[in-house]
Amino acid sequence: MPLFGYARVSTEDQTPLPQSQALKSAGCAEIHEEQASGGNRARPVLARVLERIGKGDTLVVVRIDRLARSLSHLLELIERLAAKGAFFRSLTDPIDTASPQGKFTLQVLGAAAEFERALIRERTKAGLASARTKGRIGGNPGLRARDPAALRKVRLAREDGYMERLNETAQDWLPHVRRLRPDMAWEDVLRIVNGPLPRERQWTQSRLLRAVNAYVRDGFLPETVLGRAGRRETDDRLPAIVAAIKGADPDITLQTICNRLEAMRERTPRGRTSWQPSSVTMLLERAERLGLLE
């Protein structure tokens, strides 16, 4: 099965060449290089690699810190690969999710992360209980006094926390919004965003709009994405959706597009009970005639 290599360096004065050579020696058919901080979860090259990887493929890195800097992020990425039927392998760490040993290591890491979270919760509860027995009231004195400066500080901290959480999931929705808005209605953009995602990670329209507004406010997206979508003829809707799926991954197979449309619960144009590659081919040809394919 295809092996996709991912090499990352943090600064411009570093070179990914040693990583790329190791990945090539490991048999990677494609090697994708990126210069970005490991703490930044919204990495465009990584997002494109994750979008391209399909069932049976394997994402390969030299070391796990090239993919993620935190255990929670590593587990999140591996779960995303698993949802697509793909695997993960680190050349210098004992992790290969295609093997029983690698799966066991992953389970141990997951258990350790949950144990760490449980310890933090217990210590927090114990600290609050101890403070109450000594007559101390928890919380920020400035907030209890409704001090404007303290309230503003908390509001900014909450906004920063929200943006940090958004950055962790931006690879799921940001490329689609940037490419499809305002040409496509939000309802259809939402269907395309949620198509490859497991149910527990799918977006609601209100949540997606809040995320987009936040990115527009901070200058990560142009204001034009919030513009009103133009009216589209009913017969053009399905070609536009299929063209959008194809545009996100030019190498996607016809059957994978069928599966994506099934997940989106789109009705077939010919009244069949399930999507067939022939129907997708017909829609792609129509999309090309309409100028919807790049």
Side-chain angles (χ1 to χ4, degrees):
M1 294 295 182
L3 304 179
F4 291 79
Y6 176 73
R8 182 188 62 79
V9 293
S10 299
T11 60
E12 293 182 355
D13 58 345
Q14 296 175 322
T15 173
L17 183 59
Q19 296 179 54
S20 297
Q21 290 175 336
L23 293 169
K24 184 176 180 181
S25 299
C28 292
E30 296 182 19
I31 298 174
H32 302 264
E33 299 177 350
E34 184 162 36
Q35 187 264 305
S37 168
N40 180 11
R41 299 194 179 191
R43 289 174 247 158
V45 174
L46 178 60
R48 288 197 295 271
V49 174
L50 293 174
E51 182 68 26
R52 288 199 58 187
I53 287 179
K55 185 176 182 180
D57 296 339
T58 300
L59 176 63
V60 185
V61 296
V62 174
R63 299 190 311 274
I64 58 175
D65 67 343
R66 297 301 87 197
L67 182 67
R69 284 287 183 84
S70 68
L71 181 56
S72 63
H73 190 206
L74 175 65
L75 294 174
E76 176 188 323
L77 292 173
I78 293 177
E79 288 174 1
R80 182 174 179 182
L81 290 170
K84 301 178 72 172
F87 306 102
F88 170 72
R89 180 190 305 170
S90 173
L91 298 181
T92 57
D93 303 292
I95 298 181
D96 182 352
T97 60
S99 70
Q101 295 87 349
K103 291 179 180 178
F104 175 73
T105 302
L106 189 61
Q107 290 172 352
V108 172
L109 289 175
E114 180 57 34
F115 179 65
E116 181 182 16
R117 288 191 292 268
L119 284 179
I120 292 173
R121 287 195 296 268
E122 290 301 318
R123 288 169 183 166
T124 301
K125 290 179 181 178
L128 291 173
S130 176
R132 283 194 294 269
T133 60
K134 297 176 182 178
R136 295 199 300 268
I137 301 175
N140 187 317
L143 293 181
R144 293 199 301 271
R146 308 300 294 175
D147 177 65
L151 293 172
R152 180 176 180 274
K153 186 175 181 180
V154 170
R155 178 177 59 79
L156 292 175
R158 287 176 177 171
E159 290 178 358
D160 288 344
Y162 174 64
M163 292 303 295
E164 184 177 344
R165 293 192 300 274
L166 276 188
N167 291 339
E168 294 174 1
T169 60
Q171 58 194 8
D172 291 338
W173 56 270
L174 182 58
H176 296 295
V177 171
R178 183 177 283 128
R179 191 179 71 257
L180 302 177
R181 289 290 304 166
D183 296 327
M184 184 173 286
W186 283 112
E187 293 83 355
D188 292 328
V189 173
L190 182 67
R191 288 171 178 268
I192 293 169
V193 168
N194 285 336
L197 298 179
R199 183 175 297 275
E200 63 273 11
R201 287 177 50 201
Q202 291 187 353
W203 294 72
T204 63
Q205 186 167 323
S206 60
R207 182 168 161 243
L208 180 61
L209 284 171
R210 183 189 175 198
V212 171
N213 273 283
Y215 264 47
V216 169
R217 181 196 64 211
D218 286 1
F220 296 127
L221 281 171
E223 291 187 10
T224 52
V225 300
L226 296 173
R228 187 179 183 87
R231 297 190 63 178
R232 187 180 295 278
E233 296 295 332
T234 304
D235 291 343
D236 293 349
R237 180 177 171 276
L238 279 177
I241 290 176
V242 172
I245 296 173
K246 180 74 173 177
D249 182 3
D251 297 325
I252 194 170
T253 65
L254 294 176
Q255 186 57 54
T256 303
I257 295 178
C258 289
N259 297 339
R260 192 73 59 82
L261 292 168
E262 294 276 1
M264 294 166 60
R265 297 184 179 179
E266 287 291 341
R267 294 183 178 181
T268 64
R270 297 175 177 174
R272 295 178 176 175
T273 56
S274 61
W275 279 89
Q276 301 296 324
S278 59
S279 297
V280 173
T281 301
M282 176 192 70
L283 291 172
L284 286 173
E285 291 173 351
R286 190 188 303 172
E288 188 170 7
R289 290 196 299 270
L290 293 170
L292 300 175
L293 287 175
E294 296 180 358

